[in-house]
Each structure stands twice: as structure tokens, then as C-alpha cells.
Amino acid sequence: IVMNDIIYFLKNYGELLSITLIPVIIWFLGIQFQNRQAKRKAKEGLFLRLMAHRKKYPPNQEFADALNQIDVVFQESSKVRNSWRAYFDSLHPSSQHNSLQNAFLLDLLSDVANDLGYHDIKQTELDRFYVPQYFLDQVNNQDLFYTEYLRILQRSKNLAEPFSEKELKERVKQAKKGS
């Protein structure tokens, strides 16, 4: 009797059920697919930002922002988050691992790449970074400019008027007391 009731129900109401349930199921599966795609896109975007800025000196804001997003974007990957913690520890000047910053960064990038399915990328490839000589010259020139500008400002009342010898000696004495 139970089987006959099921057959009767499906004959009379099966079409109605399929018309109402199939769109709901498709909608639910579509939402799940979109969520996975959004997470994947966020992971890939973060990885590409880390890769693009990994060797820039001084580190820029975009690299720091990407690092600070790792715990959220890779919340389901304990391996990536552990690598991030190790790299974070190495960034502090007082850390015993400070001299190994690059090794910890390569471990982090390698774990992120593996999490994304890029299993054939070697750490030597992650460590390779191209910077045109022009950019290096620009950084060197900026450093030279800032150093010279600071020297002038420290030895002058303003850009047009230098300190007298007496004023300069007093200023140096005060600077030594302050530090």
C-alpha cells in the first residue's frame, strides 16, 4: 500500500514538485558556485599582489595590505596561515629569524601557490624578480636627494640661511642630548 501511495503521489504531484524544486535547487547550486568562485578570485588576487610586490624596497602599502588580508582570505588553509605567522615573526627586528625573512616569504608564497593548485612552481621561480635598471637608478637618486636635503635642513635655519658656527655647534649638542 505504501508503494502504491508513493506512485500515486508522484503521478499526480511529481510535475508540480519538479517545477517548484528544480529552480530552487539550481539557484542554491548557483549560489554555492558563485561563492567558491569569489573565494578563488580573492585568493588569486592576493597571491598576484604578493608576487608583484615581494621584492620591492621599501615595501609598499599594497604589499602590507595583502599580507594583512591573508588570515581572512585563507581562513580555511592552516598551512598558509602558519606560514604567514612565521613570516610575520621574521619581520620584527628583534626576532631571532629576522635574517631569514626571504626564506619565510618564499615558504609563504609557495604555500599560497600550492593552495591555489599551482604545484609546479618552484621556490627558485618565486624568488626570481625583475627590476629594470632605470627603476634602481630612480631609487638611488631619490635616496641621494633625501639624504642631501636632510643634510641641508639640519645645517640651516632655512634653505637660504645657514647656521653660524656657534649655532651649528649648539644644535649638534642639543641633538646629542636628545638621542
Side-chain angles (χ1 to χ4, degrees):
I1 294 179
V2 175
M3 188 60 129
N4 286 338
D5 290 341
I6 293 173
I7 292 172
Y8 175 79
F9 180 80
L10 289 176
K11 278 184 182 178
N12 292 324
Y13 301 104
E15 190 174 327
L16 179 63
L17 282 174
S18 65
I19 289 172
T20 56
L21 286 180
I22 288 177
V24 171
I25 292 169
I26 290 173
W27 172 80
F28 179 76
L29 292 174
I31 295 295
Q32 293 298 319
F33 178 74
Q34 286 177 345
N35 287 342
R36 279 188 303 173
Q37 288 301 101
K39 286 180 181 180
R40 171 93 183 165
K41 188 175 180 179
K43 287 180 177 184
E44 285 179 344
L46 190 140
F47 178 61
L48 291 176
R49 281 184 305 193
L50 290 173
M51 288 296 294
H53 301 287
R54 68 190 181 277
K55 297 278 185 168
K56 290 191 176 171
Y57 185 80
N60 62 20
Q61 186 66 45
E62 192 168 354
F63 184 71
D65 290 345
L67 289 172
N68 287 321
Q69 294 171 6
I70 289 173
D71 284 320
V72 173
V73 174
F74 288 93
Q75 66 181 333
E76 297 166 0
S77 176
S78 61
K79 191 167 186 178
V80 169
R81 292 178 69 203
N82 287 335
S83 293
W84 160 228
R85 278 189 216 102
Y87 178 57
F88 180 78
D89 176 60
S90 75
L91 293 175
H92 295 284
S94 61
S95 171
Q96 64 183 357
H97 304 295
N98 186 263
S99 63
L100 300 172
Q101 281 182 17
N102 191 55
F104 284 106
L105 177 60
L106 291 175
D107 287 343
L108 171 62
L109 293 172
S110 180
D111 288 340
V112 170
N114 281 325
D115 187 81
L116 288 167
Y118 303 127
H119 302 293
D120 293 334
I121 297 178
K122 299 173 187 159
Q123 283 197 358
T124 53
E125 294 168 328
L126 294 172
D127 197 33
R128 191 175 337 150
F129 191 79
Y130 172 68
V131 179
Q133 186 61 43
Y134 174 78
F135 295 161
L136 295 173
D137 292 345
Q138 262 188 330
V139 169
N140 290 336
N141 288 339
Q142 285 176 347
D143 285 345
L144 183 63
F145 173 78
Y146 290 135
T147 302
E148 187 62 18
Y149 193 61
L150 183 61
R151 184 191 64 78
I152 290 170
L153 289 176
Q154 287 176 335
R155 297 181 173 267
S156 308
K157 294 177 184 175
N158 58 48
L159 288 176
E161 185 180 0
F163 287 119
S164 68
E165 280 298 316
K166 182 180 176 185
E167 291 172 321
L168 182 57
K169 286 179 183 177
E170 184 61 32
R171 185 168 170 87
V172 169
K173 189 187 293 184
Q174 286 177 351
K176 286 181 181 178
K177 283 181 183 178
S179 46

